Amino acid sequence: MKNFLIPTFPSNTIGDVLSFAIELGRRNGARLSGIAADGLFSPAATPIQFVGEADVAYIQARAAENEVESEKLFISHMTAAGAPRLAPEETGFGFDWIGRDERGSLSVPEQARAYDVTIVSRRGKDAAPGQAALLDDCLFESGRPILVVPPERPQTFGDHIVIAWNASSETARTVALGSRLLNGAKKITVVETDSSNSTGPTAAALARNLARNGLPADFHTTPLAGRSAGQAFLDEAQRLGADILFKGAYTQSRLRQMVFGGATAHLLSHVTLPMFMAN
């Protein structure tokens, strides 16, 4: 992965995201592209037909302020870390900023379609306004994976990958989109629960096919034992010493997860290691 998109906004969690992105970008020789996050004061987030002219002017002014603050925040983190600013034709480790003139009317999820991965922070009480919606929009509208970064994380990244397997098409797509990470892993463990209701290949079948491609894959079945599926996957990843979790996003409907909960909703708020997701 050589092209990272990083939605940026003033918040208590953005420093963790930027530090992680810089570390990963330096290791991979990747370009880090910052962009102002579509948030509470984004015109795209507030239907203009439902507000008056004065409200429109206020929203546009706050969006412009957010753009300026986000750009300053992103660039200050990059320069403090010694990352060079790259011209469009340059390659290798460095950064650029996608300003409003360049992106035009494109939203962050639309812009993300041209990038290898979008790096976002975990949900939580310190999340910025609109952060949860932006994360979901990137999952559903970009067609690309996201990498969710928690405040705490392992010292390594990508050495041991745990795949939270439920035989869904979303998880299969996540595995396919994460092939570059899988190819660089020292160990891959495909984990399923003992009460999966999905119809499809077992964890053993996926591990076997990954191994046929020369990957160091094994599988494991973990009992729920009264836990939710999301917590069971997280507990198992921690027990195995994984440093990244692969998870297909919203294998149940988003509405159902909002009402009844689900593995995706649980992990987006509680994951304690980087999580690679796609829908």
Side-chain angles (χ1 to χ4, degrees):
M1 296 188 296
K2 298 290 186 180
N3 300 283
F4 302 162
L5 184 67
I6 309 168
T8 305
F9 40 80
S11 74
N12 294 331
T13 60
I14 193 62
D16 295 321
V17 173
L18 294 176
S19 296
F20 175 83
I22 290 167
E23 179 184 337
L24 187 60
R26 196 187 303 274
R27 185 189 310 173
N28 289 276
R31 174 185 288 259
L32 313 178
S33 296
I35 187 171
D38 297 329
L40 184 62
F41 297 105
S42 166
T46 307
I48 298 300
Q49 63 266 32
F50 297 125
V51 297
E53 291 184 7
D55 296 319
V56 171
Y58 173 75
I59 291 168
Q60 291 174 337
R62 289 303 304 271
E65 291 175 9
N66 179 71
E67 179 96 23
V68 171
E69 292 175 10
S70 298
E71 182 178 5
K72 288 181 179 178
L73 179 63
F74 181 83
I75 292 175
S76 67
H77 272 79
M78 295 296 132
T79 54
R85 188 160 192 164
L86 301 177
E89 67 277 3
E90 290 183 294
T91 59
F93 172 64
F95 75 93
D96 64 3
W97 177 260
I98 304 171
R100 182 58 60 180
D101 290 342
E102 180 180 350
R103 65 187 283 198
S105 62
L106 293 182
S107 66
V108 170
E110 289 170 332
Q111 195 78 40
R113 294 170 189 168
Y115 287 80
D116 297 332
V117 67
T118 300
I119 303 179
V120 296
S121 62
R122 186 187 70 183
R123 291 176 181 168
K125 61 182 180 180
D126 294 328
Q131 180 177 326
L134 174 64
L135 192 156
D136 284 351
D137 287 346
C138 286
L139 279 170
F140 282 95
E141 303 298 333
S142 72
R144 294 285 192 165
I146 67 170
L147 189 57
V148 181
V149 180
E152 65 284 345
R153 56 184 183 272
Q155 294 297 313
T156 59
F157 176 81
D159 286 352
H160 184 183
I161 296 174
V162 161
I163 300 172
W165 183 248
N166 61 358
S168 68
S169 60
E170 292 85 359
T171 306
R173 192 173 301 115
T174 301
V175 171
L177 289 170
S179 60
R180 293 181 186 177
L181 290 171
L182 293 170
N183 285 328
K186 297 177 181 177
K187 185 176 182 180
I188 301 166
T189 306
V190 185
V191 175
E192 64 184 356
T193 68
D194 63 353
S195 61
S196 175
N197 295 320
S198 300
T199 57
T202 63
L206 176 62
R208 188 164 53 244
N209 285 330
L210 291 173
R212 287 169 179 162
N213 282 298
L215 300 178
D218 200 354
F219 72 95
H220 178 69
T221 301
T222 186
L224 283 184
R227 301 170 296 177
S228 67
Q231 190 60 48
F233 285 132
L234 180 56
D235 289 346
E236 198 62 17
Q238 292 173 326
R239 186 187 71 81
L240 293 169
D243 54 15
I244 182 171
L245 178 66
F246 274 36
K247 174 72 176 72
Y250 294 112
T251 57
Q252 302 178 52
S253 73
R254 185 162 29 165
L255 177 60
R256 180 179 176 84
Q257 294 222 17
M258 288 173 61
V259 176
F260 299 107
T264 298
H266 180 84
L267 287 168
L268 285 175
S269 297
H270 297 91
V271 71
T272 54
L273 69 164
M275 181 167 60
F276 186 83
M277 303 190 85
N279 177 260

